[in-house]
Amino acid sequence: MALATRTDRRPSFTRTVWDSSLGKKTVMAVSGLIMLLYLVVHMFGNLKIFFGAGDFNHYAHWLRTIGEPFLHYEWALWIIRVVLVLAVVAHATAAYQLSRRDIRARPSRYVHAKPRSSYATRTMRWGGIILGLFIVWHLLDLTTGTVHSGGFQSGHPYQNVVDTFSTWYGDVIYIVAMLALGLHIRHGFWSAAQTLGAGSRTRDRALKTIANVLALVLTAGFIAVPVAVMTGVVS
């Protein structure tokens, strides 16, 4: 009599972690912190526009020469782009799957009203969608020049930024997205700290303060550029 062959296989550790809600939240937390680090650096780079076209264009050129001669031209920039794309995809996928899991777990309305949550918490999903759409527009505007107004000039990022923020819709899109970003960071940083085990009863106040400060500084720092162009400080 032939023995039955066992065909079922235990899922891998990676798959087990990913399938769990904690695993998805951990992926969201880590990918969110990677993007937050990039945003801090990106904001400081953007503020160089206040030092004039020469400094800003030189900074943009430097980004393409990082690591030379060990790395070829733009290699470091492409590595950064790939890491960011992976972080964005992982973050968005985990957020979507957690959202669907949450909906399936509560198919009917609550019998009792839920406690009122903060505005940032209630708009996290819509904020994520707004930011996702903004990233696509931002790349098409200032990276590829596909939707750029005034004629995209490769190698002249200062003029391209001024062109974008010389239009009312460029300002509106950017400012709305940055406000959504601030709300997203305000809630997301604190949530990431809780997921990664950094939160506690004694540290919660400090973590919330850090989240608020980060959200305020990044929002103000990014919005300062279109406001400067609108008011003629940068031209």
Side-chain angles (χ1 to χ4, degrees):
M1 181 177 178
L3 294 176
T5 302
R6 188 176 180 83
T7 58
D8 56 320
R9 298 176 58 186
R10 296 182 62 182
S12 65
F13 174 76
T14 303
R15 182 57 184 269
T16 300
V17 171
W18 173 251
D19 285 343
S20 69
S21 293
L22 179 59
K24 294 182 189 299
K25 289 179 180 179
T26 301
V27 169
M28 284 190 67
V30 174
S31 59
L33 291 175
I34 290 173
M35 290 185 286
L36 179 60
L37 176 62
Y38 167 78
L39 287 170
V40 171
V41 176
H42 188 42
M43 181 200 70
F44 279 110
N46 281 2
L47 293 178
K48 290 185 74 67
I49 200 167
F50 288 98
F51 294 93
D55 278 7
F56 190 74
N57 289 340
H58 182 266
Y59 161 71
H61 175 72
W62 171 80
L63 288 175
R64 290 159 173 76
T65 60
I66 297 174
E68 289 187 342
F70 179 73
L71 296 177
H72 288 289
Y73 184 75
E74 287 196 341
W75 275 23
L77 187 59
W78 275 106
I79 291 172
I80 294 171
R81 287 169 175 168
V82 170
V83 171
L84 284 173
V85 168
L86 292 175
V88 170
V89 171
H91 196 80
T93 302
Y96 174 77
Q97 292 185 1
L98 281 171
S99 177
R100 298 301 303 172
R101 182 172 293 181
D102 185 57
I103 292 173
R104 287 195 300 268
R106 298 195 301 269
S108 58
R109 292 181 178 273
Y110 287 96
V111 176
H112 302 290
K114 294 177 64 178
R116 187 175 181 80
S117 57
S118 69
Y119 183 78
T121 303
R122 298 197 308 273
T123 57
M124 280 293 284
R125 291 172 186 171
W126 280 110
I129 293 172
I130 290 172
L131 291 173
L133 294 173
F134 168 75
I135 289 171
V136 174
W137 177 82
H138 195 52
L139 291 174
L140 292 175
D141 179 33
L142 293 176
T143 300
T144 67
T146 307
V147 299
H148 186 75
S149 61
F152 183 78
Q153 301 180 51
S154 180
H156 295 81
Y158 181 94
Q159 189 58 49
N160 291 333
V161 170
V162 171
D163 287 344
T164 289
F165 297 135
S166 295
T167 62
W168 68 267
Y169 59 86
D171 294 323
V172 170
I173 291 173
Y174 195 87
I175 291 174
V176 169
M178 293 307 100
L179 292 175
L181 175 67
L183 292 173
H184 211 75
I185 291 171
R186 180 173 177 267
H187 178 72
F189 179 83
W190 185 83
S191 296
Q194 304 303 310
T195 298
L196 298 177
S200 69
R201 184 173 298 178
T202 57
R203 290 194 292 261
D204 276 357
R205 179 173 294 181
L207 289 170
K208 288 182 178 179
T209 300
I210 293 172
N212 289 335
V213 171
L214 276 172
L216 179 61
V217 170
L218 285 170
T219 302
F222 280 118
I223 288 180
V225 177
V227 170
V229 174
M230 283 190 290
T231 57
V233 174
V234 172
S235 61

